[in-house]
Amino acid sequence: EPEVTQTPSHQVTQMGQEVILRCVPISNHLYFYWYRQILGQKVEFLVSFYNNEISEKSEIFDDQFSVERPDGSNFTLKIRSTKLEDSAMYFCASTLRQNTEAFFGQGTRLTVV
Amino acid sequence: GESVGLHLPTLSVQEGDNSIINCAYSNSASDYFIWYKQESGKGPQFIIDIRSNMDKRQGQRVTVLLNKTVKHLSLQIAATQPGDSAVYFCAENSNDYKLSFGAGTTVTVRA
């Protein structure tokens, strides 16, 4: 069964450092997403990406965040200068079309110290 | 503003019994809803979805009911098993480009 894969599974970084979280969406999917989940809380939308541009972003997704699809398979989330409150699980997801089942990766646990 | 929420944060159910998890949503324009299951340390896993032109949809051991009049969504799990223990989230498409998740219900199955 096709799946979304994310690397690394766990990332520890110093406050103020840049991190890049990587995702390989399902190969024939066209829409890509990042969500985050602070421990014990609900899953929050960050950004959606289609046709090489951002379709929608939340208020969480400020200038410190960026996304990129550098090639035909990877989809990355960059946080330029991490803050303590960026500590969370970050999930990548993809869909074949709009308003269809979103497949989620296993997540990257980001810990900012 | 829009919100998706669950009526109860926890549900304890005896193995073999049926479970019902409820969800209320406020965005009447939403037309697509999904239930996800999340086990500890893992990503959300699709269970079942339903579109607003339906009021019931059945899967394997699961049924989703949609009541658009009162903006209510429920997930029924038949013959609950220990492997069903997890956090369950309802999600709605707030627009074409994102899902909004509810707060989650933790289901614990008692042996």
Side-chain angles (χ1 to χ4, degrees):
Chain A
E1 185 175 310
E3 60 179 12
V4 175
T5 58
Q6 291 185 242
T7 54
S9 57
H10 192 187
Q11 173 91 45
V12 181
T13 189
Q14 294 272 344
M15 189 170 54
Q17 295 297 302
E18 174 183 287
V19 294
I20 298 176
L21 309 183
R22 303 182 189 278
C23 169
V24 179
I26 293 173
S27 60
N28 64 335
H29 283 189
L30 301 176
Y31 297 82
F32 314 112
Y33 312 84
W34 284 100
Y35 290 80
R36 80 172 187 188
Q37 185 179 33
I38 294 170
L39 185 64
Q41 299 186 23
K42 67 179 183 180
V43 178
E44 299 176 289
F45 170 78
L46 292 178
V47 66
S48 59
F49 191 86
Y50 170 70
N51 200 27
N52 284 318
E53 61 182 24
I54 290 174
S55 307
E56 174 105 9
K57 59 182 181 179
S58 71
E59 56 273 14
I60 303 169
F61 194 89
D62 62 21
D63 292 345
Q64 294 301 309
F65 290 84
S66 63
V67 289
E68 191 178 29
R69 186 153 164 84
D71 52 43
S73 60
N74 291 282
F75 180 51
T76 62
L77 174 69
K78 180 192 290 186
I79 309 175
R80 289 190 186 81
S81 178
T82 50
K83 303 186 286 287
L84 294 176
E85 54 265 37
D86 293 328
S87 296
M89 282 288 285
Y90 287 80
F91 294 106
C92 174
S94 68
T95 62
L96 178 59
R97 294 181 297 274
Q98 291 174 302
N99 296 332
T100 57
E101 176 188 349
F103 289 82
F104 283 78
Q106 293 299 296
T108 293
R109 179 173 297 283
L110 177 65
T111 303
V112 182
V113 297
Chain B
E2 60 180 344
S3 67
V4 179
L6 295 168
H7 291 315
L8 294 174
T10 62
L11 175 68
S12 179
V13 60
Q14 186 71 39
E15 182 179 357
D17 288 352
N18 297 335
S19 304
I20 299 176
I21 306 166
N22 295 304
C23 179
Y25 65 95
S26 62
N27 187 350
S28 56
S30 293
D31 59 6
Y32 180 59
F33 304 87
I34 307 178
W35 280 100
Y36 283 95
K37 172 185 180 182
Q38 187 178 30
E39 296 173 289
S40 181
K42 295 185 177 180
Q45 178 185 359
F46 173 88
I47 301 173
I48 192 167
D49 59 3
I50 189 168
R51 299 193 182 276
S52 59
N53 61 351
M54 303 173 70
D55 52 25
K56 180 178 179 178
R57 190 156 188 243
Q58 289 185 288
Q60 188 177 17
R61 281 202 307 120
V62 294
T63 301
V64 55
L65 299 177
L66 175 63
N67 185 330
K68 295 180 287 295
T69 303
V70 295
K71 290 184 281 191
H72 183 267
L73 193 68
S74 69
L75 177 71
Q76 300 177 2
I77 305 174
T80 312
Q81 302 169 358
D84 295 327
S85 293
V87 180
Y88 290 80
F89 294 94
C90 63
E92 63 173 323
N93 69 325
S94 302
N95 58 36
D96 287 342
Y97 297 106
K98 70 177 186 182
L99 291 173
S100 294
F101 281 77
T105 293
T106 301
V107 173
T108 303
V109 180
R110 305 188 307 272

